[in-house]
Each structure stands twice: as structure tokens, then as C-alpha cells.
Amino acid sequence: MLRRPRLGKALAAALALLAWQAAAMALGQELLLVAPSKVALRLLVLAGEAGFWKTVLSSFARIISGFLLALAAGSLLAAAAGRLKAVETLLWPWVITIKSVPVASFIILCLIWLSSRQLPVFIAFLMVFPVVYSNLLEGIKSADPKLLEMAKLFRVPLLRRVKYIYLPHLRPFILSACGVGLGLAWKAGVTAEIIGIPAGSIGERLYEAKVYLDTADLFAWTVVIVLVSVAFEKAFVRLLTLLMGGRR
Amino acid sequence: MDIRIRSLYKYYGDKRVLEDFSATFREKSSVCLMGPSGCGKTTLLGILMGLVKYDAGLVEGVPPRKSAVFQEDRLCEDFTAAENIRLVTGKRAPEAVIAEQLSLLGLGASLSIPVREYSGGMKRRVAIARAMLAGGDIYFLDEPFKGLDAENRRKAAEYIREHTVGKTLVAVTHDEAEAALLGGEIIKMGGSV
């Protein structure tokens, strides 16, 4: 039963690759659409270059720093807002603004205040923070009031309430926020790198690919982003599930 | 100190649940509140527990250290019976004591599984053990034997009596036989207004 959906997904991916290959061959213009086989070859060449892993690691560190900062700040402020309505009200204009302002506007504005190395960290933070905050606040608000009443009657200390009542209830909200947040962090973080062009970043390599019309490089670096993003999301979600008692 | 309730009123919207209810529960005694559904027994218990606000009247003398078996089990379903008890007792109740007490209620063979996998009757017994091990100066029991068969009902009643000696106990039940199992004074509450 477990293998069937995986097999289905693998077949779908293989079909998509075939369609891509066929389209590239039919078009016959690498500048417009490079074939997946050529992208794979270019990726192999890139992976062997001296600066490749350093570039991947520096972008990874910046984007994941922003994500983790947002996770911490979003969790703490959601906990505070869940306890005090005044905090929720005070945060409301900030959250609604961050949610609705286009990411490009933030990047251009923040480029004036921050260095090009700090920019992806802050932009990733900005995109992930409202997702974590809103998800967790919704989770906190929907915690079972009868269990909370029970805890109140028995005078259960806050830490134990968090461990036994809030965390099991919040598990799906946290996992969902992390899944969505990581995707957003990579998209927004790389966009910030393309505009800010910090030296030795994936964004810089994508910018160069655009300037030199190097479509194979553009596709190869995009594949790198997808692979690193998906691999980290899977590892992080698995780690969180373990830490929060996923067995249960 | 006795618990004194004077001219208590409670409304849920337009519905009057308690009307001019007065009673005195003597300290360290057992009281069983009986009456038909909707007559305000659970609401009265909620008021005494400090979880429900009343609209008018006076309630005094309720000890601050309370323990309860709620109408619903109110257990953390992802955790084992022992973990549910440790939630309220902390380190006060050693693991061996918790296991021994659960065994007394016939739960010794199910200690390692989350209560989500328990039957209704087993969950009820965990709720009873939790209330008794949490301790307190007053115990509130809302239909404590709900879902228990005759044998487990008898065992649970004996267990409750042993743990509440010298404490105030306020219970709610529909059933005279259950009230008799717990002993103490019976107060009959009227129909819904």
C-alpha cells in the first residue's frame, strides 16, 4: 500500500521529464528551452566546481537563518497573543501589512537599509513570520477548552500545560507552518539574492545566467534550489515530528 | 469551613438553570446531588469548582485545593494513563505509586498504551485515579461511574471512599444506587425551570 503512491509519483515525474525533453527537442533552441539531459550534465559539471558547495552553503545558511528566526519569533509572539488579546491587536497591523505587501517592494525598500548579505535573511524572515504566527495563533486559540479548564482546576503549571495540552494539539499547525514557510523562505530569499546580488550566492549565479543568457545554468541552479529546499524540508519536518512525539 | 450557598441564580442566555438555590455542605462530609437532566447539577458543580460564573447569590467556604472527576473524562488522549496522572501530580506521585493505583482499578495491563486506545470505562477509571491522586481538600465527582459495569463501579466506589476519608466530597448522579455506593447526604434538586 505504501509503495503505490510513491510509484505513482515517480511515474508522473518521469512523464513530466519526458514531456520536457520532447518539447526541448521539438523547439530545437537551447536558449529558449534547454533539455533536461543537458541540465543534468551541467549540474554534474557545476557540482564538481570548487565554489559550488560554498555557494549552496552560503545561500542555505542565509535563508535558513531567516526561516529559523521567523519560527522562533512567530512562535513566541503567537504564544503571547494567545494569552493576551492586546498583543494580538497590537501585532495585527504589522502582520496584515507584511502579508499583503509584495515581496519585491520589501526587497527594494530593505536594500536601502541592509547589506546585500543581510537582505535574504531579513526577507526570508519577513515572508515566514506571518505564516508561523497566524498558524500557531489559530492552533492556540482552538486548544480544547475543557482540557484547559481541567488544567486550571488542578493548578497545572504552564510548562506542563504546554507539554501535555498545547504541543500535541499544535503539532499539525507547526508542521503545516514549517512546510509552507520553508517553501516561501527559499522563493523569497533567492529573489532577494537576485536583486541584492551578494557575492558567492545562488542568486548571484542566477543573475549571471540571466545576463549571459545561459539557460542551462539557469535551469541547473533552479534544480539545485528545488533539491536543497525539498531535502531540507523533509529532514526538518521529520526532526520536528520526532521531537514532538510523532509516534503518537 | 462549611460551604454556604445562598439564593444562587444562573442563566444561560434566556434559560434559567438555577433559581434561588440555597444549601449548606458540611466540611469533611459527602453530599450527593440528584435530580433530572437540566436541573442544574453540573452547573452548580462548575460554580463550586470556580469554572462557571453565577449571575446572583452567594457562594462561600469552598476550599482552594480542589480535585474533580468531570462529566467528560478530559484526558490527554495522546498520553498514557500514568502520564495523564503525572500532568496533575507532577513529581509528587512516584511512578510506582501511580502504577499501583491504576492496577487497583484494573488498569495494570494497559499502562504503556495511550488512553486514546482505551475503552470508555477504562478512561473513566483513569479520570477517577487522576482525581484521587491529585489530592485536595474537596472532591467534585460528576457522574463518576458513567460507563462502568457493576463490578468496576463497586471497585471504583470503594477506591473513592478510601481516598476521600476526612475530605469534603460533592457528587452528582442520576442513580440512587450510585448515590448509595458513595454514601453521604442526598440533596434532590428540582426540575428545570
Side-chain angles (χ1 to χ4, degrees), chain B:
Chain B
M1 191 179 178
D2 294 345
I3 297 170
R4 280 166 26 94
I5 303 162
R6 294 289 173 265
S7 297
L8 200 61
Y9 285 82
K10 173 67 190 171
Y11 298 85
Y12 285 116
D14 290 337
K15 190 174 185 253
R16 196 161 50 199
V17 182
L18 287 169
E19 183 191 20
D20 197 20
F21 180 83
S22 297
T24 300
F25 302 155
R26 285 194 347 269
E27 190 185 10
K28 296 179 181 176
S29 69
S30 295
V31 175
C32 226
L33 303 171
M34 290 191 66
S37 294
C39 73
K41 304 184 295 290
T42 296
T43 300
L44 178 60
L45 224 56
I47 289 170
L48 293 173
M49 285 192 261
L51 301 175
V52 174
K53 285 186 180 154
Y54 50 93
D55 296 306
L58 174 82
V59 176
E60 57 180 16
V62 181
R65 285 185 62 237
K66 307 173 187 103
S67 187
V69 175
F70 294 89
Q71 196 172 43
E72 320 82 12
D73 301 310
R74 301 197 187 188
L75 297 170
C76 299
E77 297 272 320
D78 289 344
F79 293 90
T80 65
E83 285 170 326
N84 267 281
I85 292 170
R86 214 169 304 127
L87 164 68
V88 301
T89 64
K91 288 175 183 164
R92 263 186 300 127
E95 212 146 310
V97 172
I98 295 175
E100 183 199 335
Q101 296 293 309
L102 288 169
S103 298
L104 286 176
L105 288 169
L107 296 167
S110 319
L111 293 176
S112 59
I113 56 172
V115 296
R116 187 195 319 119
E117 293 172 28
Y118 279 21
S119 68
M122 289 164 85
K123 286 181 186 175
R124 202 63 184 152
R125 281 177 277 162
V126 176
I128 291 171
R130 178 180 65 187
M132 298 302 124
L133 285 169
D137 298 315
I138 184 162
Y139 291 80
F140 298 102
L141 312 178
D142 198 346
E143 299 185 35
F145 307 124
K146 196 172 67 179
L148 299 185
D149 58 36
E151 176 59 16
N152 278 315
R153 201 174 291 194
R154 189 192 56 73
K155 268 192 198 168
E158 198 180 310
Y159 182 79
I160 290 169
R161 280 201 310 270
E162 276 172 18
H163 278 81
T164 54
V165 174
K167 308 279 182 183
T168 308
L169 186 145
V170 184
V172 158
T173 181
H174 292 291
D175 189 338
E176 293 211 9
E178 284 187 3
L181 277 173
L182 287 169
E185 183 189 356
I186 291 177
I187 294 180
K188 297 218 172 182
M189 294 176 71
S192 61
V193 184

Side-chain angles (χ1 to χ4, degrees), chain A residues 59-79:
Chain A
S59 287
F60 175 85
R62 273 192 286 270
I63 290 166
I64 297 306
S65 301
F67 166 78
L68 291 176
L69 283 172
L71 186 61
S75 306
L76 286 174
L77 288 171

Side-chain angles (χ1 to χ4, degrees), chain A residues 13 28 33 38 72 80 96 103 113 127 132 135 160 166-167 171 176 180 188 206 215-217:
Chain A
L33 186 65
K38 295 220 165 156
I96 208 82
V103 65
W113 305 330
M127 290 302 107
V132 174
N135 257 35
R160 252 185 271 154
Y166 282 111
L167 269 185
R171 191 186 298 142
S176 151
V180 175
L206 283 170
T215 318
D217 258 31

